[in-house]
Amino acid sequence: MNLIIDKIETVLEWGGIKKDIVLLVIGGISLIISIFDLIPLPFDVAWVAIILCGVPIIIEAIIGLITAFDIKADVLVSLALIASVLTGENFAAGEIAFIMQLGALLEDLTVAKAQAGIERLVRLTPRTARLIKDGSEVIVPAETIRVEDVLRVLPGESIPVDGTIISGQTSINQAVMTGESLPVEKTVGDEVLSGTVNQFGAFEMRASRVGEDSSIQRMIRLVQSVDAGKAKIVRLADRWATWIVVIALTAAFLTWIITGEIIRAVTILVVFCPCALVLATPTAIMAAIGNATKHSFLVREGDALERLAGVKRVAFDKTGTLTYGMPGVKKVVSTVPEYSEDAVFSLAASAELYSEHPLGKAIVSAYNAECEKSENFQMIPGRGVSATVKGDVVTAGNAALMQDNDVNISDKVSDDISKYIQKGSNVTYIALNNVLIGYIILADTLRSESKNLIKKLTFIGIKPVLMTGDHKGSAMAIANSLNINDVYAECMPEDKLRYIDEYQNKGEKVCMLGDGVNDAPALKKADVGIAMGGIGSDIAMDAADIVLVDDNIAELPHLIALSKRMMLTIKCNLTFSMGLNFLAIILAIIGILNPVAGALVHNAGSVLVILNSAFLLKWKSKI
């Protein structure tokens, strides 16, 4: 029996949305021909709609009853179809089948799968590693690496396993794990994580966590687990199906017993068939999705807007979401009278002219004038750069580079700089011939629309939360400027999951807005995940329910207001459709409606539901 059911389900699933469209077109044409008797045929053309659109519904209802005794709206629809056919009301049966097929199509159009995100994460895991064995380098499959093995990682390569640097120094792009916008300087004794990218210097490391225990594999398992655990909203017609079936059968049976007219009983089954009820939700969702698309939101999960309507908190990643994710020059300071701030800036830009480091690129980009050409350029991994400008040696980099070159940094300069470091800013020291002449403060730039966005969310009762992999000083600086009270800094992917889970356990639905690979598990775990489409990673977008195509976060309040308006429209549709059904039942009981007239009432109700939902297409928020 199970084998037969599996085969039937495979046939029913063939073609997906394309199949539904073909069936609807053919079924609709057959109903038009039937009602207007356009083509004289020896049989009622309505049978085409009954077979193509109705038979799959009946089969699915039977399968649901046999396999799980699951009573859905399809059961009542099947009863109405069979009863109509037995009493010769073929058009009524075809019309019911057509409406239900339309509802199924609309629901299919609102559903999307995001399994590709896990595949992309898997591809982030390096396939090979450079194993140091007996003093020589051997390239081996990454899965063969064992704890305590010594590996070499060259510039531009992904780190194959978690471990600790034992020689060399470098800068690591950890955006995959922490979302940090800037590379992190690493040297002997520092931990490095699998999946992160070595940017500049070669180094050797000792493996500490390998295989399934590595950071990137834990990330994959997190995404898989939260994806499987996220519950989908059940269609209201299915949720109430058991009661609808019981009431309909009871009303039909009593009417038949009392009046002795089976046609009235059949009419009750036809008018009680939840066509408008089935259309109430998907039509509103489709219209709301159309509205959201005009505001640059790509809704990938059909029920995402339903979930968004109940959200109480919006959790933001910092880098690339509330900020642009790129460092910018905030201040240039001269520490000696002989050189002006502009002169310090000019020398720094000239020294960094050929740098590939984000901080160096930011300095060159921010310097408006033309840079002097430099010579003898040298990149010092994990430290900074050195170059000759007009015969003088200019050194630009961090405090460690200054120390390596015996550059003196006074206590006053250190005290002044510490204030910026506490706020999460980066500092590039500038030395000329091993004498400190100034420094440049760089920091991530806040999006111009961020402050107004947080203000609007607070106004409509949504509490903002900041969750970032950046250190506490940077997180607090952004949070204070935006008036965000709930701040979680230095978050790994599992930390964000835990914080979201804590809110959900308190009964608070959470929306997560992020852009990086490290945000993927949180985007899956949240009741609604929204990914930045412009600068966001493919993995984040695959994990999200909604994608903000142009990264204009100012539109988020409109989306939340739209979701609430959509739910109001759905409730109105449901109230209307149920009211119409009960009115039609009363008319059927007293004999005013016959099956065909009942089917037409269904049509009218379904059309009105669709029209009411259509108003959402052009709805605009007043926030």
Side-chain angles (χ1 to χ4, degrees), residues 63-267:
I63 290 174
L65 285 172
I66 292 176
T67 58
F69 196 69
D70 189 11
I71 300 177
K72 295 183 178 180
D74 291 345
V75 174
L76 183 56
V77 174
S78 300
L79 291 174
L81 281 170
I82 294 170
S84 297
V85 170
L86 291 176
T87 55
E89 301 293 347
N90 296 332
F91 176 79
E95 183 270 341
I96 291 171
F98 178 82
I99 292 294
M100 293 302 296
Q101 189 68 44
L102 175 61
L105 173 63
L106 291 174
E107 288 186 342
D108 288 343
L109 289 172
T110 62
V111 174
K113 300 295 182 183
Q115 295 303 316
I118 295 174
E119 296 173 9
R120 294 179 191 271
L121 271 173
V122 171
R123 288 199 294 270
L124 280 180
T125 307
R127 296 179 181 273
T128 59
R130 299 176 185 273
L131 176 65
I132 305 300
K133 193 172 183 179
D134 299 327
S136 61
E137 178 185 301
V138 182
I139 298 179
V140 299
E143 60 267 20
T144 64
I145 299 300
R146 298 291 178 261
V147 175
E148 296 298 322
D149 280 351
V150 175
L151 310 175
R152 179 176 292 140
V153 183
L154 301 182
E157 293 183 343
S158 294
I159 299 171
V161 296
D162 295 2
T164 304
I165 295 178
I166 57 175
S167 70
Q169 53 194 24
T170 186
S171 297
I172 303 292
N173 184 338
Q174 297 189 147
V176 167
M177 288 295 157
T178 66
E180 291 176 283
S181 57
L182 298 176
V184 179
E185 313 300 343
K186 299 284 187 178
T187 187
V188 175
D190 289 336
E191 184 183 26
V192 290
L193 304 175
S194 60
T196 59
V197 180
N198 179 28
Q199 288 208 307
F200 302 115
F203 65 89
E204 292 184 2
M205 59 175 285
R206 191 179 304 280
S208 60
R209 289 191 298 270
V210 300
E212 294 298 315
D213 293 329
S214 66
S215 297
I216 193 68
Q217 290 299 323
R218 292 203 307 272
M219 172 95 77
I220 293 170
R221 290 199 300 275
L222 286 174
V223 173
Q224 289 172 326
S225 64
V226 295
D227 184 41
K230 181 182 283 188
K232 302 297 181 185
I233 293 177
V234 179
R235 191 175 66 184
L236 283 172
D238 287 336
R239 193 183 302 166
W240 298 342
T242 302
W243 291 105
I244 292 174
V245 169
V246 171
I247 294 172
L249 289 176
T250 302
F253 180 74
L254 291 176
T255 300
W256 182 23
I257 295 298
I258 295 171
T259 64
E261 297 183 26
I262 193 172
I263 197 69
R264 295 193 186 188
V266 172
T267 303

Side-chain angles (χ1 to χ4, degrees), residues 199-200 326-329 345 348-349 352-367 379 385 428 442:
Q199 288 208 307
F200 302 115
M326 298 174 62
V329 173
F345 204 178
E352 297 277 12
L353 186 60
Y354 304 113
S355 175
E356 291 298 318
H357 196 284
L359 292 180
K361 288 183 175 181
I363 290 173
V364 175
S365 177
Y367 186 66
M379 185 84 179
V385 301
T428 296
L442 300 100

